[in-house]
Amino acid sequence: MVLLAERISKLYSKMENHHQHQQPEALSASLQAFRSDVSNCVHQLCLDLKPGSETLSFSWVLQCFQLIPSINKAFAKLVVDIDYHMSKWKSQSVEEYLKYSLSLLDLLNSISSSLSHLERGRLSLAHSLSLVKSSPSSAIEHIKAIKFNSSIKNFKGQDNIDDEKDRPCSGEEWIIDQALIELKSVGFWVCYVLLAGLSGDAKAYLEMRKSTTGIFSNSSVIKLDMSISEAVMDRGVVLKEVKELKEAADCIAAATANEKESYRAEEMQRRLKAFEQLLDGLDKEVNSLFSKILAGRNELLDGIRHTKQ
């Protein structure tokens, strides 16, 4: 009876360990599936970026931003697949996630600020158009004073996420560690591209890349980043819709200065309306993601406090 009890106990222990700790092959398969999801999303973005295009379009930038919630969803799926909820994470993984989410919140605030700057430029242009007939000289003065570009202030480069010190070497914790590298790589890159496009500040973008050397771990992201950085260095970075607005505004100012009938004003109004919708759409996406990330942080922190009680 004693021997039988020992055998049953050992068998139960093995079964329990099997459920608590998945086999390395299963874990590797889950990680590979996650990385494939990431690469597929980025690859689609590559396909939608037309080769040789002089500028980035607002619609492409919006699609680029949507990478973050897509990758977050893939990460959540991975956590479920390996049955390793955040409550099971070790302190290092929790700390890394919290640091990343805090940096992401800061970057989203900067993106919101750039969107506000563009909205102010749109409103100024709309006001200038209202003066074209009644006061052409004032309209010209206002149009020439409008600036869509903005500087990225108080930027702090992210920590190098390729640091191997004290990293786990196996098991679920290692899987989470590797996935977090991928998560940060894509998340930071997306924010850098958006800030560059929305601010029109090529120098700031290049400085960001320099200050974050080594953060890109995904080959698809590296390839796409190289294409964009080359374009930025060759032609600068201005969103297609912003460039068109500035050119249209210059044409209206020239027509008004020459005392010609500015038939372009109505077309400009339509452009401004479409631009307003683009700004509103991205702003809603940014605010939604900000709320979700903040809620996730609070949930994790509440769980930590509950565990310590």
Side-chain angles (χ1 to χ4, degrees), residues 56 149 193 196-203 205 231-232 235-239:
L56 301 179
N149 289 9
V193 171
L198 296 175
S199 68
D201 192 343
K203 182 179 178 181
Y205 168 66
V232 167
R235 299 181 289 271
V237 52
V238 180
L239 291 180

Side-chain angles (χ1 to χ4, degrees), residues 20-22 27 82-84 170-177:
Q20 289 181 347
H21 302 284
Q22 295 188 39
L27 291 175
I82 66 174
D83 191 22
Y84 200 58
S170 63
E172 290 88 349
E173 193 69 17
W174 181 81
I175 297 296
I176 292 299
D177 176 79

